[in-house]
Amino acid sequence: MDAYDGGSNAPDGADGVVEPDERQASDEPAADPRTGVAALSLRYQIGVAIALACVAVAVCVHIGMVFLHVAPSNTVTKQHGRAIDDWIYPEFEQNWKLFAPNPLQQNIAVQVRAQISTADGGRRTSGWYDLSAQDGRAIDGNLLPSHTQQNELRRAWDFFVATHDAENRPSGLRGALSETYLRRTVMLRLDRDDAAGQGGTIERVQVRSRTTNVRPPEWSTDQVSDRPVYRVLPWWSVSTSDSEGGAR
C-alpha cells in the first residue's frame, strides 16, 4: 500500500487532519461574557460606585433625620432641631412618635351620677357609677373585648378635656359637640344599668374624673402622692335626644 494513502491508517499531518493539541484546544468551553457593572469599562465602574455611595449616604441621612424627628427630645434634637425640621418639613412630615415622650403615669376613672324623678313624683340623687371600673371588669379576662369597652368612654373623656379649659369652659368650636358626645355616652351606660328604676326618669347628670398617680417601682426614689384628684363637671340637663333612643 502506498505510504501516502489517505486511508484510515494514514498519519495525521498536512492533509487537513486536526492535530491532537488543536483538538484539545477546541474542546475547552468558551468563557462567559461579562454582564452588569462588570461589563463596563473601569471609568464607568468607578462612576457607578460613586453614585451608589451617594445614594447610600442620602438614605442613611434621611433615615437618621426621620428617627430624630419622631424620637423624644434629646441633646441632638435640642442642638440641631432647626436643621432636622428643615430636612423634614414639608415633604417628609411625620405625625407619629417613635416613643411616648411623656407616658401616662396616672389612672383616670370616669364616674357619673344622676338626678332622678321617681314614679311617685319625688326626686333622688343616685350614687356615683364608676363607668371606667365597669369597662375594666368587662375587659379583664376577655380575649376579644369590644371596641366600646376599650375606647368609647376613654375617647369621650379625652375629647372633652381637649376642648375645655381647667374651668370646664369650651375652648373651641367643638366644645359643645364634646359635651353632647360625653353626655350621650354616660346616658347609654345609665340606661343600661337601669339607674332610673321602675317608672323613674333621669333629669340631670353630673360627670367627674378621679385621677390617681401610678406608684413608682420599688427601686425608684420618686415620691408621688397617692391621694385622688377629682375634676367635677357641672350638672347637665338631659333631653330626650340624650336618651338611648335619641342617641341611636
Side-chain angles (χ1 to χ4, degrees):
M1 183 180 292
D2 193 350
Y4 295 97
D5 188 8
S8 59
N9 294 327
D12 295 334
D15 294 335
V17 180
V18 179
E19 296 293 333
D21 57 345
E22 294 178 359
R23 287 199 301 267
Q24 183 177 3
S26 63
D27 292 339
E28 294 180 356
D32 294 334
R34 286 193 271 180
T35 60
V37 178
L40 301 176
S41 64
L42 179 61
R43 181 178 61 180
Y44 287 106
Q45 288 182 4
I46 295 175
V48 171
I50 294 175
L52 291 176
C54 293
V55 171
V57 171
V59 170
C60 292
V61 170
H62 178 70
I63 293 175
M65 289 293 189
V66 174
F67 176 84
L68 292 173
H69 177 68
V70 301
S73 179
N74 52 71
T75 304
V76 177
T77 57
K78 290 178 180 178
Q79 293 182 352
H80 305 287
R82 179 65 63 84
I84 296 172
D85 290 342
D86 291 343
W87 180 278
I88 294 295
Y89 294 107
E91 290 84 2
F92 308 114
E93 180 180 0
Q94 306 290 324
N95 58 1
W96 56 279
K97 292 296 181 181
L98 184 60
F99 305 107
N102 186 21
L104 185 63
Q105 299 179 359
Q106 297 173 327
N107 289 321
I108 302 175
V110 179
Q111 303 171 344
V112 63
R113 64 178 178 175
Q115 275 190 355
I116 303 166
S117 61
T118 59
D120 57 5
R123 282 186 174 84
R124 66 179 179 88
T125 301
S126 71
W128 289 100
Y129 288 82
D130 195 333
L131 305 182
S132 296
Q134 293 178 4
D135 287 347
R137 288 192 295 269
I139 295 172
D140 189 21
N142 189 347
L143 296 179
L144 298 173
S146 69
H147 175 75
T148 56
Q149 291 170 339
Q150 299 178 81
N151 298 316
E152 182 182 50
L153 181 65
R154 179 180 61 83
R155 294 295 299 271
W157 180 253
D158 290 345
F159 186 22
F160 178 87
V161 172
T163 56
H164 288 72
D165 60 18
E167 301 298 326
N168 300 319
R169 295 173 300 197
S171 56
L173 298 177
R174 298 196 300 168
L177 178 61
S178 67
E179 291 181 9
T180 302
Y181 181 40
L182 180 59
R183 186 167 59 250
R184 291 188 176 185
T185 300
V186 300
M187 279 297 299
L188 286 172
R189 303 299 182 88
L190 292 174
D191 289 341
R192 188 181 306 165
D193 293 336
D194 194 21
Q198 185 66 31
T201 303
I202 297 177
E203 295 183 342
R204 299 197 301 169
V205 294
Q206 187 177 35
V207 181
R208 75 176 183 182
S209 67
R210 182 180 186 271
T211 304
T212 54
N213 293 317
V214 176
R215 292 182 179 180
E218 296 180 356
W219 48 262
S220 175
T221 58
D222 295 338
Q223 299 292 329
V224 297
S225 174
D226 58 356
R227 296 183 60 183
V229 177
Y230 293 92
R231 178 173 179 173
V232 183
L233 307 187
W235 284 95
W236 288 333
S237 297
V238 176
S239 63
T240 55
S241 62
D242 297 319
S243 64
E244 186 174 1
R248 288 178 182 173

